[in-house]
Amino acid sequence: MTYETPEQRSERGRPMTAATPRDLIHVRLGSFVIFLAFAVGVLSLIMGLTVVTIVAAVVAVAAVVDVVLAVRRQRRLGTGPQSTG
């Protein structure tokens, strides 16, 4: 049996996740950095700039790790019966 309080759904009925503003910023900026690093990496790969490609890959991996950690923090701080056990 799943029990949900009214606060766990938005007005449109979509599930909501409790999150801190810091985690939201990490996820949003991290996704932008991943997109930008991917674009720079592809362009530098096409142009034959291997050092820039490697730097873009390292930045993308660091951003992915940061986003994953922020999402894990959100889940750990979540509200409701799932987070109490």
Side-chain angles (χ1 to χ4, degrees):
M1 175 177 168
T2 60
Y3 174 76
E4 290 185 1
T5 60
E7 303 85 53
Q8 291 175 318
R9 296 245 177 221
S10 69
E11 293 86 21
R12 295 182 177 178
R14 296 181 180 156
M16 296 176 58
T17 303
T20 63
R22 182 186 75 173
D23 291 334
L24 288 176
I25 289 172
H26 277 265
V27 171
R28 290 183 184 220
L29 287 179
S31 63
F32 178 73
V33 168
I34 292 167
F35 176 76
L36 189 63
F38 180 76
V40 168
V42 168
L43 287 175
S44 63
L45 190 64
I46 291 171
M47 297 173 70
L49 304 171
T50 55
V51 173
V52 178
T53 304
I54 293 170
V55 170
V58 168
V59 168
V61 168
V64 167
V65 168
D66 185 47
V67 168
V68 167
L69 291 176
V71 169
R72 287 182 69 194
R73 276 190 303 266
Q74 285 180 4
R75 286 188 184 147
R76 191 177 53 216
L77 296 174
T79 57
Q82 297 87 357
S83 65
T84 59

